[in-house]
Amino acid sequence: MVKITKVKSGSKYETLESYSRIVAVDDWILVSNTAGRNYETREMSTDPIEQTEQCFNNIERALKSVNSCLEDIVASTIRIPNVEDAQSVMAYVGEKFRGIDPQRTVTCAPLGAGDFKVEIEVTAYRGASAAKTQLIDIS
């Protein structure tokens, strides 16, 4: 039997817009677009790197709630509205994902609110961090 777990972060938008921070289907974990707002204080920096750091804090906290971790991430989508922020944001993302190397999509397009400098969406597979990895170079 399939087990589905839905995780809420307490955002009013989860209720208003009918979504979950995480939907886990067995060991597959889908994490919704995550902005750089601190869920406890509701504050958000105006600095894109600080927002990116908070995105990762929010994602790691959400993954932990379903017995997963950053190292289980297998796919990511990074949305950066200001192309001039892309290089610095992606350098930070690259350091956070060093050795994890998930699939990645990056877009530079407007986000839902003007104060968002970055949003990150990930897919994880619980236990991927302990799996044997095969690297194939197609160059």
Side-chain angles (χ1 to χ4, degrees):
M1 178 184 277
V2 174
K3 179 182 177 186
I4 297 176
T5 304
K6 296 182 180 183
V7 176
K8 303 288 186 173
S9 69
S11 167
K12 67 180 181 182
Y13 297 105
E14 292 170 346
T15 301
L16 291 171
E17 299 170 2
S18 300
Y19 76 96
S20 299
R21 172 69 27 222
I22 280 182
V23 174
V25 180
D26 291 332
D27 288 327
W28 284 104
I29 304 163
L30 305 156
V31 182
S32 292
N33 258 3
T34 303
R37 183 176 309 282
N38 182 312
Y39 294 145
E40 293 169 3
T41 66
R42 306 306 305 160
E43 294 176 358
M44 186 166 60
S45 171
T46 59
D47 180 76
I49 301 305
E50 290 177 7
Q51 281 193 25
T52 305
E53 181 179 15
Q54 186 62 53
C55 286
F56 275 99
N57 290 341
N58 295 342
I59 290 167
E60 288 182 276
R61 181 177 176 193
L63 288 170
K64 186 176 180 181
S65 76
V66 292
N67 299 313
S68 187
C69 59
L70 198 67
E71 292 78 13
D72 285 341
I73 293 174
V74 296
S76 63
T77 300
I78 317 298
R79 293 176 178 89
I80 308 164
N82 301 314
V83 71
E84 54 275 353
D85 294 335
Q87 185 175 5
S88 60
V89 167
M90 291 313 300
Y92 184 89
V93 170
E95 286 304 313
K96 288 298 283 188
F97 281 148
R98 184 86 50 228
I100 301 169
D101 303 330
Q103 173 278 335
R104 180 185 79 187
T105 300
V106 178
T107 63
C108 292
L111 299 176
D115 53 347
F116 292 172
K117 305 292 185 190
V118 64
E119 286 186 339
I120 301 173
E121 175 183 352
V122 300
T123 300
Y125 187 83
R126 193 178 1 254
S129 57
K132 182 178 178 183
T133 301
Q134 177 183 14
L135 177 62
I136 299 172
D137 185 347
I138 59 171
S139 57

